[in-house]
Amino acid sequence: KAGVTQTPRYLIKTRGQQVTLSCSPISGHRSVSWYQQTPGQGLQFLFEYFSETQRNKGNFPGRFSGRQFSNSRSEMNVSTLELGDSALYLCASSLEAGSDATQYFGPGTRLLVL
Amino acid sequence: QKEVEQNSGPLSVPEGAIASLNCTYSDRGSQSFFWYRQYSGKSPELIMSIYSNGDKEDGRFTAQLNKASQYVSLLIRDSQPSDSATYLCAVNINADYKLSFGAGTTVTVRA
């Protein structure tokens, strides 16, 4: 079975721009979670989507948003980029929703904001 | 208090030795616990999950869970240079319906 895929893998943007990242979960997985990973803060939960609905959201500003499509693919958007948004953005998929479900990570999108 | 805390490391062990990684968590209601391995520049990879008190073994890896002490650990037996990575402990936080990660422990296995 193919794993979680994320596109693009690398991205360079400038402050004030917006960015959209894409995630395709493992086939049959219906839940997608997004995380931000930085050296200083570690892995931080952004949000989780299941059946096209956001089930939970982490402590991030409203500039961070996401959505999920009927085929379970998910996108996250960051508007008005700040230097501090430079990070590795990871998507993880699981069969079902909820924090009990085993999550499998994609390769990540490395975002650099200049 | 942080939701999930790990011994900060780095942890350096000789090849063939046992590496012991510790993790404590704050949510007494947590029921699911995971260990991930992350190589430098790569994404986290699931090593194992544990849900019940006691030990769970998978190859050279053993996870130990003690819910009363709110403690989960990972032992790596016969450590190999390929085990050199950062190990992340993840715990489900029921109150927030999310998975919370520790900061990770970096392990270096010396040949």
Side-chain angles (χ1 to χ4, degrees), chain A residues 59-80:
Chain A
N59 190 24
F60 279 82
R63 299 185 297 107
F64 292 81
S65 63
R67 59 178 175 168
Q68 186 180 35
F69 302 95
S70 59
N71 61 358
S72 296
R73 190 177 70 84
S74 177
E75 288 181 348
M76 70 163 278
N77 184 77
V78 187
S79 63
T80 318

Side-chain angles (χ1 to χ4, degrees), chain B residues 53-102:
Chain B
N53 280 330
D55 295 359
K56 179 181 178 182
E57 189 174 313
D58 184 358
R60 296 185 294 107
F61 298 96
T62 300
Q64 299 173 317
L65 175 61
N66 183 327
K67 290 182 183 178
S69 301
Q70 294 175 240
Y71 172 92
V72 58
S73 67
L74 181 71
L75 299 178
I76 308 173
R77 292 186 305 281
D78 188 23
S79 295
Q80 302 296 309
S82 59
D83 295 326
S84 298
T86 296
Y87 291 80
L88 299 165
C89 171
V91 178
N92 83 306
I93 304 298
N94 273 332
D96 292 336
Y97 304 101
K98 69 174 185 181
L99 199 59
S100 185
F101 285 80

